[in-house]
Amino acid sequence: MTTSDSAQQPPKKAPAKDPWDLPDVSGLVVGVLGGTGPQGKGLAYRLAKAGQNVIIGSRAAERARAAAEELGHGIEGADNAETARRSDVVIVAVPWDGHGKTLESLREELAGKLVVDCVNPLGFDKQGAYALKPEEGSAAQQAAALLPDSRVTAAFHHLSAVLLQDPEIEEIDTDVMVLGEVRADVEIVQALAGRIPGMRGIFAGRLRNAHQVESLVANLISVNRRYKAHAGLRVTDV
């Protein structure tokens, strides 16, 4: 092969990145807004038990500190603003009816932070749970609109608070669907999910697809009631 022939060869493509090659997140501080509620409390417990530094946030610092002391594993408690300021990653686990107001009030503290929204907009009537459709499209999209200076992702929607809080259960048999706009941010959240024994974090699309993921919780509630279960999700063939 001549030099000219060699110069005409297309450059070799770099090998595709292994989707399971996730970052080390063990040194990150995770804050949980709404950490005194069932879902937030369960997530805080599981992450701290796995070795993560965790701060529970609440509107009342005293309530957060009491919950942190109850859970142990080095968990700290603070008000929501301090929790947001001190954390690298902030999980939003507040009730849907307080979601927008809470995030709007913390816009400054959450600037530059990786925010993980796990809120499910649901309504309930005599026929059971049903999905609500926020004006922005989903809770995660509402968070992104209210927090323009934050990096918003969505995850941890389909977890049973009962299982998360049960100290007798060592592994949570479920996958966590993670959505976001920036691959590096999504991979951080996937890695956090993977720290909890039994869990995997699975990329599930951009934030515009968050409504379907949030809405699926209404179906899982129906499953749980019929079968007296604490159902989760597994994604096959990945």
Side-chain angles (χ1 to χ4, degrees):
M1 180 182 293
T2 66
T3 304
S4 59
D5 289 337
S6 175
Q8 292 173 8
Q9 296 299 314
K12 289 185 178 180
K13 290 184 178 180
K17 183 179 183 296
D18 181 352
W20 296 112
D21 180 15
L22 300 173
D24 177 8
V25 295
S26 59
L28 298 179
V29 177
V30 178
V32 185
L33 304 182
T36 58
Q39 190 82 349
K41 207 171 182 181
L43 279 169
Y45 169 69
R46 289 290 165 175
L47 287 168
K49 189 177 180 182
Q52 209 71 39
N53 293 319
V54 177
I55 306 172
I56 278 180
S58 176
R59 286 178 297 178
E62 303 79 20
R63 189 177 173 198
R65 284 193 283 268
E69 186 175 347
E70 175 191 340
L71 292 173
H73 295 283
I75 297 172
E76 297 181 65
D79 64 35
N80 281 334
E82 182 182 343
T83 298
R85 280 194 299 268
R86 292 177 56 196
S87 301
D88 303 302
V89 179
V90 180
I91 297 173
V92 181
V94 300
W96 166 242
D97 58 7
H99 181 264
K101 186 176 180 181
T102 299
L103 295 184
E104 196 170 18
S105 71
L106 296 170
R107 181 178 296 175
E108 184 177 336
E109 289 84 357
L110 290 171
K113 307 288 182 176
L114 175 53
V115 174
V116 187
D117 202 296
C118 68
V119 175
N120 303 303
L122 297 176
F124 296 87
D125 60 19
K126 291 181 180 179
Q127 297 183 59
Y130 60 95
L132 303 174
K133 187 72 177 282
E135 182 180 344
E136 298 84 356
S138 64
Q141 287 169 295
Q142 183 183 86
L146 292 172
L147 304 172
D149 298 320
S150 302
R151 297 138 53 208
V152 176
T153 60
F156 301 115
H157 301 91
H158 306 136
L159 306 181
S160 163
V162 173
L163 296 184
L164 288 173
Q165 294 185 77
D166 189 342
E168 299 299 315
I169 294 175
E170 291 298 324
E171 295 190 1
I172 308 292
D173 181 23
T174 194
D175 286 331
V176 173
M177 300 180 81
V178 185
L179 303 98
E181 301 301 319
V182 179
R183 177 179 292 189
D185 292 339
V186 169
E187 289 180 347
I188 288 171
V189 181
Q190 287 180 265
L192 280 173
R195 297 210 73 199
I196 300 173
M199 283 191 195
R200 295 187 307 173
I202 305 287
F203 172 67
R206 294 178 178 269
L207 287 186
R208 69 180 184 180
N209 292 319
H211 173 66
Q212 301 94 290
V213 174
E214 295 169 2
S215 299
L216 191 56
V217 175
N219 302 89
L220 289 177
I221 289 172
S222 297
V223 170
N224 290 338
R225 287 180 174 173
R226 174 63 63 88
Y227 299 100
K228 295 180 170 41
H230 301 291
L233 293 178
R234 278 294 186 200
V235 180
T236 63
D237 202 33
V238 293

